[in-house]
Amino acid sequence: MTTVFRGARARGAALAIATLFTAACVASTTPAAAPAPSAAATANAAPITVSPSSPIKEFGTMWTFDAPPLQYWKARYGFDATPEFLDHLRLSAVRIPGCSASIVSADGLVMTNHHCARSCTTEVSPKDSNYIETGFVAGTAADEKKCRNMVADQLQSIEDVTATIQKAITAATPAEQAAQRSAEIGRVQQACAKETGLQCQVVTLYQGGRYSLYRFKRYTDLRLVMAPEGNIAFYGGDPDNFTYPRYDLDLTLVRIYDNGQPLKASHYLKWSAGGAGEDELVFVVGNPGTTGRLNTLAQMAFLRDVQYPNQLDQLKRQNAVLKELSAKGDADTKKRYQDVIFGYENSIKAITGYRSGLLDSSIMARKAAFERDFRARTNANADSRAKFGGAWDAIAAANAERASFATAARFQAPTGSTVLTLALNLVRVAMEEPKPDSLRYAPFRAPNALAGTKAAIGREIPLDLAQERGFLATQWEAALAALGPDDPFLKAALNGRKPADAVAALYAGTKMTDAAARKALLDGGLTAINASTDPMIILARVLEPLQRAHALRTAALTATLANNAEKLGQAIYAAYGTMLPPDATFTLRITDGVVKGYPMNGTVAPYKTSFYGLYARAAEFDGKEPFALPRSWIAGRDRLDMSTPLDFVSTNDIIGGNSGSPVVNRRGEVVGLIFDGNIESLPNNFIFTDDVARSVAVHSRAIPVALRTIYNAGRIADELEGKKP
Amino acid sequence: MTTVFRGARARGAALAIATLFTAACVASTTPAAAPAPSAAATANAAPITVSPSSPIKEFGTMWTFDAPPLQYWKARYGFDATPEFLDHLRLSAVRIPGCSASIVSADGLVMTNHHCARSCTTEVSPKDSNYIETGFVAGTAADEKKCRNMVADQLQSIEDVTATIQKAITAATPAEQAAQRSAEIGRVQQACAKETGLQCQVVTLYQGGRYSLYRFKRYTDLRLVMAPEGNIAFYGGDPDNFTYPRYDLDLTLVRIYDNGQPLKASHYLKWSAGGAGEDELVFVVGNPGTTGRLNTLAQMAFLRDVQYPNQLDQLKRQNAVLKELSAKGDADTKKRYQDVIFGYENSIKAITGYRSGLLDSSIMARKAAFERDFRARTNANADSRAKFGGAWDAIAAANAERASFATAARFQAPTGSTVLTLALNLVRVAMEEPKPDSLRYAPFRAPNALAGTKAAIGREIPLDLAQERGFLATQWEAALAALGPDDPFLKAALNGRKPADAVAALYAGTKMTDAAARKALLDGGLTAINASTDPMIILARVLEPLQRAHALRTAALTATLANNAEKLGQAIYAAYGTMLPPDATFTLRITDGVVKGYPMNGTVAPYKTSFYGLYARAAEFDGKEPFALPRSWIAGRDRLDMSTPLDFVSTNDIIGGNSGSPVVNRRGEVVGLIFDGNIESLPNNFIFTDDVARSVAVHSRAIPVALRTIYNAGRIADELEGKKP
């Protein structure tokens, strides 16, 4: 089934899962000046010039706190970042699950996005109400509501452990090396945790070119202080998601408690009186989740020409099915499908955005120029040439092979049908269960993998059969066009019939929609499977070897790609040092940028929006969803200064995971709160540009105004602004 | 020199020049039902189905009043357009120079765009002030100010004169046919004027497929009643031009006087109380200037691949020169260049927009499908095949030939330099003057052509030599890249030097910047020219034969193209009848559409904007030009209902010349005032789509509100709304 994601928000959440929150240490980060390029790079008269005061723009500005580009900032902005400035920002920032956040008062008030605290806001809601809809304001400290699962990690120190990790890797094969690496990372983390009592995480930078040990102090008692209504936090809903101009108050305030009392924060960000101004230098401090800027041209071409088009094709086909079902359904059905459709359309928007960068010849030309330079630097040194020089061609070859069977792999699959997926697993369990664990098909080898699959097969699950039939029919229509009627899977599936007719017969004839029937077949083992005349099982038996062959081939190529990606990571660090910031890793970064409008849709987008604009959008859509205003905002309208800034854009380099990051000025004061990137920033996934790509933030001035005027929350506004109550 | 145009406004104005305002007749238009397709078309099982109730969408909806698509309107909207409805709209509409307008009160009040009455508003301004800046409201009828040159033409009748015109064309060659056609059109117009006392115009439809005699009643006494400030009429200036969302009150009101008294209008449009509503059927009645929807694929490919890229390349190069000059200049210089740069950027925006349609494969595929259908229908009938069947290939061949020497023609030219152009004309006058008129180079053959050129050569004219040098240097840089250093013109121009150095030496050495020196050389005739050692004259002598050869070749191909375009016009009418509306001709059309937002920039554009949005845009750009509000709007802000609609979009089919057209509802009431198309509508030049292309109009509700609240003009608002004073 397709993974449908919903913008910056969900990307952040997904990343949290992949992030390590394991063990614990103490120390202080001492930012070192960015190292000079390696001798090999300096010796080579490459076409791209790079120096500590002029890094390669295309790699963006997601700087780690142990290698801030001090000379670049000085040269570009005339700004001297002191160790105190950087330590203050680092210790004022906290990482929360899937997102970024910052401490913004002496009493441990924490600012993040509404969507980052969504689960807390939901779980502390009363039974008969939902704070996501109604909003929430704690009138007094006693009213602040404890979040069950929220933690906040404050970065205490960073230590380069590259040598330690690399020394432990002595084996010859990629698979053995991976096991050694994993074991050594675990050992370092555990030792650190034991020694310091902190959360310790070894972060893999440059695809394995560097390893850094990050030590965090973890706070576990966080309480909800204030959340506006979802309608104003996510104003404009899915249509406006990823876009600008924007009118969102995407804010939630929680408070860190320590030993049952509000945290006496040693570091917190002060509030700026004026907020972000046009052309102003600003920094964003937060945890960007993942980027692919070290991708080679071949990897980008594969995404552009194979993976993204295939994903878009499937999303669009399935979305058409959903729209048809929605159109035919009653009001409830329509609403249900509408939510799914919005999710699909957001995914289509996102992937189209990523792909647009890969289709942009000027962006690809910049990438190609970099790759030429990088290869030349790598090949200029005999040692690095021997170690890394073959990686580009190996990656290109692996991608070419992936492309060669991508169409068959795509359509010889149970895509769109949960029932067919269950039937396929039934066949596989029957085949694999009798084998000893070490000889099983890899996905069934992990502890409990077989048991888990068996449990899932026998469990009652909700099935939307109308949707399944629609998805499968559109899938087979597309398969027929791509593979032709003689494809072995299609031959079995269609048997000369039209896809819709074949699907209808398949579902009419199968019992596999029934959990008890699946369970019974499961219990019968391979003999029962082989004897089954259920059409879904018959089809699954044909599909199984075809799909498995593709999966095995893909897994082998993925390992080759990872191994060569790691080589390039080592090579890039050797060639350019920290003048290229590493790809995002959902750990703390600081990015510089400027508050700035941009050319848009034939005209210009302003650097900021205003309350006027919010009420304009509501009026211009006649107050229809998702442009309806909460009642509090309708009631408070005449008390607002309409020209107050609401959101703004800047050229900072952010991505999913940065949600909730503070935007600060040269004095380290809060001028904004990151909550999204514009649609033009999606290609920044692969190559950073700031012609029209922008990060989108709530303007700091909107927050106390809304707190006082709309939410009667002067207590909190005073605390933010550092005023005595 | 490049013609720089500034959006819908200037396109309309330019068209006025090409429009015939000649002679005069009386009658009444009797709308006929749209004729059925020809027998040939009906007999042919072509893939495109077309019927009176379902025309071909790609040709748009610019219907003539003598062939309204009654069955289509009925089928599409359930709307029955009666003859009375259509006569009422036709007689309420008036054409003014370059624009459209409508009578909107019983006392002859006429509504049009601010930019359409600009020359009147300027000329009636007092010496020490300018109503374009300050706005103007006539407090009483006595204060209404007579416009010197404005006329209003009211369409009385349309008569098909195709047979008359075609009968007069008996000659064999295209050139002789053109002369006969022109003479017969003149005769018909003069006879009509003499007989009726009206303005009579024979309109060429379908590129010569049909000829219609349009008879107009002309009003010549028009007086300025009300004009808002230019800043609110053209709010957002050049950046917002061609775009949406938009916040313009692009309105001027004038009044027709008849025999010194306000016109007692037999027909006028009543004001709608509610104005345009979402999804509402609306009609726009006005004079679209020109479209190229009958262009063949070969013509479109030539524009896409040759003409537009060349224009864009030149505009961008020259714009870069202007920006450099602007950056180096003082405040006055900056301002002067800034205006020119805005004009360039609008032209770049427009041409990029037109070209984007031609680059859109789905649009081109639709055009290709139509062309296949059209050719099949044409070739299905032996007679039409013989007459018209060769036209497509002839057009393709002519365009291929144009493309073959387009690069040489482009660079073997005096582009960018007025002085070199004057020198070239000096050389030509000297060559041509001794010849008898009939043997002269064509441009010097017309009466007074030679005398006019001579006068221009000897006249003092302002020269911006810094700009000329910059333009010529960038032109020669591009020429060198395109033609290489061995090109005969470049060899003479550069003589081995860099373009910038060659240009500097050329201007340092020439006397041709001085009018007296040019006059002296002119008086010396061919002998003096041939003996001249002025480097500009030496270069012009090299350029002359090269440039002339290209011009002669281009003229011959243009005649071929016109001749074949006329064949296609006849063929298309034969194949489809009036189910395809003819290309725009700056005569009265009625287009149907729906008030509707659209997908934009990743989100959705609302169907209307509001005063909220106007004040938002002002606040969000910190009140900077061109987003500054006039003082009257700042002062009146708190008296306005901010949610009042200001502008809106609809799917009506408009183009330059439609400026000032009324938008009416099913009852014929005014719901809006057209003033622009969005940037997405630019490709509609060639093929009509309404997925994202929209016409942009002032909402009728904004007008009386602004008149009463901002302009203290209750008298006029009452008149518009039909209220007794």
Side-chain angles (χ1 to χ4, degrees):
Chain A
M1 304 283 286
T2 305
T3 303
V4 172
F5 52 91
R6 298 172 75 99
R9 329 169 176 289
R11 274 188 283 156
L15 288 163
I17 300 163
T19 306
L20 301 167
F21 290 97
T22 40
C25 313
V26 189
S28 166
T29 306
T30 312
S38 73
T42 322
N44 180 13
I48 291 180
T49 59
V50 53
S51 80
S53 61
S54 162
I56 299 180
K57 188 168 178 174
E58 288 73 7
F59 282 80
T61 60
M62 293 176 175
W63 311 104
T64 56
F65 271 81
D66 58 344
L70 302 177
Q71 294 179 62
Y72 155 62
W73 286 342
K74 175 73 178 170
R76 169 82 177 74
Y77 307 108
F79 179 69
D80 283 306
T82 62
E84 292 72 30
F85 176 83
L86 292 164
D87 285 348
H88 178 66
L89 294 183
R90 174 175 54 78
L91 292 165
S92 299
V94 289
R95 184 171 69 181
I96 62 174
C99 282
S100 303
S102 59
I103 306 173
V104 289
S105 86
D107 292 327
L109 199 61
V110 166
M111 171 177 82
T112 189
N113 287 152
H114 189 268
H115 65 274
C116 294
R118 198 178 170 90
S119 63
C120 170
T121 307
T122 303
E123 81 192 18
V124 302
S125 296
K127 286 234 167 69
D128 56 347
S129 176
N130 185 346
Y131 291 148
I132 294 288
E133 278 172 32
T134 62
F136 170 78
V137 177
T140 67
D143 299 326
E144 297 178 1
K145 295 190 183 276
K146 184 157 170 37
C147 307
R148 263 181 301 170
N149 297 313
M150 194 180 266
V151 296
D153 287 342
Q154 183 189 42
L155 179 59
Q156 303 297 312
S157 66
I158 305 175
E159 186 186 338
D160 182 356
V161 293
T162 308
T164 308
I165 304 294
Q166 287 182 344
K167 210 166 54 187
I169 303 171
T170 55
T173 72
E176 288 168 313
Q177 288 176 354
Q180 288 179 324
R181 184 186 304 110
S182 176
E184 181 64 6
I185 286 175
R187 195 198 60 74
V188 169
Q189 290 179 162
Q190 281 183 12
C192 164
K194 195 170 168 197
E195 179 191 336
T196 63
L198 297 173
Q199 303 292 118
C200 295
Q201 178 188 358
V202 171
V203 181
T204 302
L205 301 167
Y206 302 104
Q207 301 179 157
R210 306 293 289 171
Y211 297 91
S212 288
L213 175 62
Y214 279 55
R215 302 185 186 90
F216 300 91
K217 180 165 170 60
R218 170 162 292 183
Y219 295 100
T220 56
D221 183 355
L222 279 82
R223 303 189 191 175
L224 184 65
V225 177
M226 187 272 160
E229 304 89 341
N231 260 15
I232 191 75
F234 191 38
Y235 188 79
D238 283 292
D240 276 3
N241 194 17
F242 291 129
T243 75
Y244 182 82
R246 196 69 165 280
Y247 313 92
D248 290 8
L249 187 77
D250 195 347
L251 165 78
T252 287
L253 296 167
V254 296
R255 190 186 304 283
I256 298 178
Y257 280 70
D258 199 19
N259 295 318
Q261 293 299 316
L263 174 71
K264 291 297 153 202
S266 59
H267 287 274
Y268 68 92
L269 303 176
K270 293 205 163 62
W271 210 258
S272 156
E278 190 166 18
D279 296 327
E280 182 177 6
L281 165 64
V282 290
F283 296 95
V284 172
V285 180
N287 307 288
T290 187
T291 52
R293 292 183 188 153
L294 290 190
N295 274 359
T296 67
L297 280 173
Q299 286 171 295
M300 290 167 73
F302 181 81
L303 290 169
R304 179 191 65 202
D305 300 334
V306 181
Q307 183 171 318
Y308 286 159
N310 288 353
Q311 286 177 335
L312 286 170
D313 167 63
Q314 183 175 314
L315 285 165
K316 286 176 183 175
R317 281 190 286 104
Q318 293 190 345
N319 200 34
V321 171
L322 293 167
K323 281 185 168 172
E324 206 181 312
L325 291 169
S326 171
K328 284 192 294 201
D330 58 17
D332 273 0
T333 309
K334 270 192 210 316
K335 170 86 185 87
R336 182 164 51 83
Y337 282 119
Q338 198 52 55
D339 285 348
V340 186
I341 288 167
F342 275 138
Y344 267 75
E345 291 183 346
N346 246 312
S347 294
I348 291 167
K349 202 196 280 195
I351 297 173
T352 304
Y354 301 145
R355 187 163 182 251
S356 72
L358 305 179
L359 289 168
D360 183 324
S361 57
S362 70
I363 288 182
M364 291 299 271
R366 281 148 84 171
K367 188 82 192 177
F370 170 75
E371 194 159 304
R372 269 195 305 277
D373 187 77
F374 181 19
R375 290 182 83 151
R377 285 175 190 243
T378 303
N379 289 331
N381 174 300
D383 182 47
S384 68
R385 177 183 201 144
K387 274 157 74 184
F388 314 128
W392 287 276
D393 291 343
I395 287 174
N399 277 304
E401 191 181 339
R402 277 164 87 196
S404 73
F405 67 96
T407 302
R410 193 178 162 212
F411 291 115
Q412 291 171 350
T415 308
S417 169
T418 305
V419 184
L420 184 53
T421 305
L422 288 165
L424 183 61
N425 279 339
L426 253 171
V427 172
R428 286 210 170 133
V429 166
M431 292 168 68
E432 300 300 325
E433 198 168 21
K435 300 180 187 168
D437 185 81
S438 63
L439 293 182
R440 282 183 190 148
Y441 181 42
F444 294 89
R445 234 176 278 158
N448 300 319
L450 198 66
T453 306
K454 288 175 71 174
I457 290 169
R459 195 180 296 136
E460 286 282 3
I461 50 164
L463 293 170
D464 181 340
L465 293 179
Q467 179 182 307
E468 291 218 354
R469 285 191 300 260
F471 279 10
L472 209 53
T474 181
Q475 173 81 0
W476 290 356
E477 285 283 3
L480 196 55
L483 303 179
D486 293 335
D487 172 76
F489 172 59
L490 279 182
K491 224 167 182 167
L494 302 181
N495 197 14
R497 297 164 297 187
K498 285 184 183 164
D501 298 339
V503 168
L506 178 67
Y507 277 82
T510 188
K511 297 274 178 295
M512 292 300 106
T513 50
D514 176 46
R518 291 195 299 267
K519 183 72 174 50
L521 196 56
L522 188 65
D523 293 342
L526 195 54
T527 316
I529 288 288
N530 285 338
S532 172
T533 58
D534 188 291
M536 199 68 79
I537 296 295
I538 294 173
L539 190 58
R541 287 197 305 252
V542 175
L543 182 56
E544 200 285 330
L546 296 168
Q547 202 273 341
R548 182 189 293 227
H550 297 312
L552 291 173
R553 204 169 165 194
T554 301
L557 290 169
T558 303
T560 301
L561 285 167
N563 186 255
N564 284 284
E566 187 184 332
K567 285 183 188 167
L568 288 184
Q570 293 173 17
I572 209 165
Y573 191 80
Y576 302 96
T578 53
M579 282 176 312
L580 297 188
D583 266 317
T585 47
F586 195 55
T587 46
L588 200 67
R589 305 291 179 95
I590 175 167
T591 157
D592 52 278
V594 172
V595 178
K596 207 170 164 181
Y598 57 98
M600 186 203 76
N601 203 43
T603 182
V604 279
Y607 74 95
K608 67 174 173 187
T609 65
S610 65
F611 288 151
Y612 269 129
L614 169 68
Y615 285 91
R617 205 141 171 87
E620 292 166 9
F621 283 97
D622 294 323
K624 286 183 193 157
E625 290 288 356
F627 303 103
L629 286 166
R631 261 174 299 177
S632 62
W633 285 80
I634 294 168
R637 186 186 60 181
D638 294 340
R639 296 192 301 272
L640 286 170
D641 174 353
M642 286 284 161
S643 61
T644 307
L646 176 48
D647 293 341
F648 71 95
V649 279
S650 64
T651 60
N652 299 85
D653 182 12
I654 63 154
I655 208 147
N658 266 116
S659 282
S661 299
V663 189
V664 301
N665 61 19
R666 288 170 181 250
R667 291 179 299 281
E669 298 164 340
V670 174
V671 298
L673 167 61
I674 289 292
F675 69 96
D676 206 355
N678 67 355
I679 196 163
E680 294 89 341
S681 74
L682 293 172
N684 279 7
N685 213 336
F686 303 110
I687 185 164
F688 177 75
T689 62
D690 63 4
D691 305 326
V692 293
R694 291 291 180 274
S695 60
V696 186
V698 181
H699 195 280
S700 63
R701 277 178 58 200
I703 293 172
V705 169
L707 287 172
R708 290 182 209 285
T709 312
I710 303 295
Y711 296 107
N712 192 26
R715 173 182 86 99
I716 306 165
D718 284 344
E719 183 177 349
L720 279 182
E721 296 185 323
K723 294 180 183 165
K724 295 288 161 214
Chain B
M1 303 283 285
T2 306
T3 303
V4 172
F5 50 89
R6 300 171 73 98
R9 340 176 164 281
R11 275 188 284 156
L15 287 162
I17 301 165
T19 307
L20 301 166
F21 289 96
T22 40
C25 310
V26 190
S28 166
T29 306
T30 312
S38 72
T42 322
N44 178 14
I48 291 180
T49 58
V50 53
S51 80
S53 62
S54 162
I56 300 181
K57 187 168 179 175
E58 286 76 5
F59 282 80
T61 60
M62 294 176 175
W63 310 104
T64 58
F65 272 82
D66 58 344
L70 302 176
Q71 294 178 61
Y72 156 62
W73 287 341
K74 176 75 178 168
R76 170 82 176 75
Y77 307 107
F79 179 70
D80 284 307
T82 63
E84 293 71 29
F85 176 82
L86 292 164
D87 286 348
H88 178 66
L89 294 183
R90 174 176 53 79
L91 292 164
S92 299
V94 289
R95 184 171 68 182
I96 63 174
C99 282
S100 302
S102 61
I103 306 172
V104 289
S105 88
D107 292 325
L109 200 61
V110 167
M111 171 177 81
T112 189
N113 288 151
H114 189 267
H115 65 273
C116 294
R118 196 178 170 90
S119 63
C120 169
T121 307
T122 302
E123 81 191 17
V124 302
S125 295
K127 285 233 167 70
D128 56 348
S129 177
N130 185 346
Y131 291 149
I132 294 288
E133 280 173 32
T134 62
F136 170 79
V137 177
T140 67
D143 299 326
E144 297 177 1
K145 294 189 183 280
K146 186 159 170 31
C147 308
R148 264 182 301 172
N149 297 313
M150 194 181 263
V151 297
D153 288 341
Q154 184 190 43
L155 179 59
Q156 303 297 313
S157 67
I158 304 174
E159 187 186 337
D160 181 357
V161 293
T162 308
T164 309
I165 304 295
Q166 286 182 345
K167 209 166 59 187
I169 301 170
T170 54
T173 72
E176 286 169 316
Q177 289 177 355
Q180 287 179 326
R181 183 185 306 108
S182 174
E184 181 64 6
I185 285 175
R187 196 197 59 73
V188 170
Q189 289 179 161
Q190 280 184 11
C192 162
K194 195 170 167 193
E195 182 190 336
T196 62
L198 295 174
Q199 303 292 118
C200 295
Q201 177 188 358
V202 171
V203 180
T204 302
L205 301 167
Y206 302 103
Q207 301 180 158
R210 306 294 289 172
Y211 297 91
S212 287
L213 177 61
Y214 279 56
R215 302 183 186 92
F216 300 91
K217 181 166 170 59
R218 169 162 293 183
Y219 296 100
T220 56
D221 184 356
L222 279 84
R223 304 189 192 176
L224 183 67
V225 177
M226 187 271 163
E229 303 89 340
N231 261 16
I232 191 73
F234 190 38
Y235 188 78
D238 283 292
D240 277 4
N241 195 19
F242 290 130
T243 74
Y244 182 81
R246 198 67 165 281
Y247 313 92
D248 291 7
L249 188 78
D250 195 348
L251 165 77
T252 287
L253 296 167
V254 296
R255 191 185 303 283
I256 298 177
Y257 280 70
D258 200 19
N259 293 319
Q261 294 298 317
L263 174 72
K264 291 295 151 202
S266 59
H267 288 274
Y268 68 93
L269 303 176
K270 292 202 165 60
W271 210 258
S272 156
E278 191 167 17
D279 296 327
E280 182 177 5
L281 166 64
V282 290
F283 296 96
V284 172
V285 181
N287 307 287
T290 186
T291 52
R293 292 180 189 156
L294 291 190
N295 273 359
T296 67
L297 280 174
Q299 287 172 293
M300 289 166 73
F302 181 81
L303 290 169
R304 180 191 64 201
D305 301 333
V306 182
Q307 185 171 318
Y308 286 159
N310 288 352
Q311 287 177 335
L312 285 171
D313 166 62
Q314 184 175 315
L315 285 166
K316 286 175 182 175
R317 280 191 286 107
Q318 294 190 345
N319 201 32
V321 171
L322 293 168
K323 282 185 167 172
E324 206 181 312
L325 291 169
S326 171
K328 285 192 293 197
D330 57 16
D332 273 3
T333 309
K334 271 193 209 318
K335 169 90 188 84
R336 181 163 53 84
Y337 281 119
Q338 199 50 57
D339 285 350
V340 184
I341 289 167
F342 275 139
Y344 267 75
E345 292 185 344
N346 245 311
S347 294
I348 291 168
K349 199 195 280 196
I351 296 173
T352 304
Y354 300 146
R355 187 163 180 250
S356 72
L358 305 179
L359 288 169
D360 183 325
S361 57
S362 71
I363 288 183
M364 290 299 272
R366 281 147 86 170
K367 187 81 195 179
F370 170 77
E371 194 158 303
R372 272 195 303 276
D373 187 79
F374 182 19
R375 290 183 83 150
R377 285 174 191 242
T378 302
N379 289 332
N381 174 299
D383 183 44
S384 69
R385 177 184 199 142
K387 273 159 73 183
F388 312 128
W392 287 275
D393 291 342
I395 287 173
N399 277 305
E401 191 180 339
R402 277 165 86 196
S404 73
F405 66 97
T407 303
R410 195 179 161 212
F411 290 115
Q412 293 170 349
T415 309
S417 169
T418 305
V419 182
L420 183 54
T421 306
L422 287 165
L424 182 63
N425 278 340
L426 252 172
V427 172
R428 285 206 171 135
V429 166
M431 291 168 69
E432 299 299 325
E433 196 167 22
K435 300 179 186 169
D437 186 80
S438 63
L439 293 182
R440 283 184 191 146
Y441 181 42
F444 294 89
R445 234 175 277 157
N448 301 320
L450 198 65
T453 305
K454 288 174 71 175
I457 290 168
R459 196 180 296 134
E460 285 284 1
I461 51 163
L463 293 170
D464 182 339
L465 294 180
Q467 180 182 308
E468 291 219 351
R469 284 191 300 259
F471 280 10
L472 209 53
T474 182
Q475 173 79 0
W476 289 357
E477 286 282 4
L480 196 56
L483 304 178
D486 293 335
D487 173 74
F489 173 58
L490 279 182
K491 225 168 181 164
L494 302 181
N495 197 16
R497 295 164 299 185
K498 285 182 182 165
D501 297 338
V503 168
L506 179 68
Y507 278 80
T510 187
K511 297 273 177 298
M512 292 301 104
T513 50
D514 175 46
R518 293 195 300 266
K519 182 73 172 52
L521 196 57
L522 186 67
D523 293 343
L526 193 54
T527 315
I529 289 289
N530 285 338
S532 173
T533 57
D534 188 292
M536 199 68 80
I537 296 296
I538 294 173
L539 189 59
R541 286 197 307 251
V542 176
L543 183 56
E544 200 287 329
L546 297 167
Q547 201 276 340
R548 183 188 292 224
H550 297 312
L552 291 172
R553 205 168 165 195
T554 302
L557 290 169
T558 303
T560 302
L561 286 167
N563 186 258
N564 283 285
E566 188 183 332
K567 287 184 187 165
L568 288 185
Q570 292 174 20
I572 209 165
Y573 192 81
Y576 301 97
T578 54
M579 279 178 312
L580 295 189
D583 266 317
T585 46
F586 195 55
T587 47
L588 201 67
R589 306 291 178 93
I590 177 168
T591 157
D592 51 277
V594 172
V595 178
K596 207 170 165 183
Y598 59 97
M600 186 202 76
N601 202 42
T603 180
V604 280
Y607 75 95
K608 65 174 174 185
T609 65
S610 66
F611 289 150
Y612 269 128
L614 170 67
Y615 286 91
R617 204 142 171 84
E620 292 166 9
F621 283 97
D622 294 323
K624 286 183 194 158
E625 290 287 356
F627 302 103
L629 286 165
R631 260 172 301 176
S632 62
W633 285 79
I634 295 170
R637 185 187 62 182
D638 293 342
R639 296 192 301 272
L640 286 170
D641 174 352
M642 285 285 160
S643 62
T644 307
L646 175 48
D647 293 339
F648 71 96
V649 279
S650 63
T651 61
N652 300 85
D653 183 13
I654 63 154
I655 208 149
N658 265 115
S659 281
S661 299
V663 188
V664 301
N665 62 18
R666 288 168 182 252
R667 292 179 299 283
E669 298 164 342
V670 175
V671 297
L673 167 61
I674 289 291
F675 71 94
D676 208 353
N678 66 355
I679 198 163
E680 294 89 339
S681 74
L682 292 171
N684 278 7
N685 212 337
F686 302 109
I687 185 163
F688 178 75
T689 62
D690 62 6
D691 305 324
V692 292
R694 292 293 180 273
S695 60
V696 186
V698 181
H699 195 280
S700 64
R701 277 178 58 201
I703 294 173
V705 169
L707 287 171
R708 290 183 211 283
T709 311
I710 302 293
Y711 296 107
N712 191 25
R715 173 183 87 98
I716 306 165
D718 284 345
E719 183 177 348
L720 279 182
E721 296 185 321
K723 294 179 183 165
K724 294 288 163 216

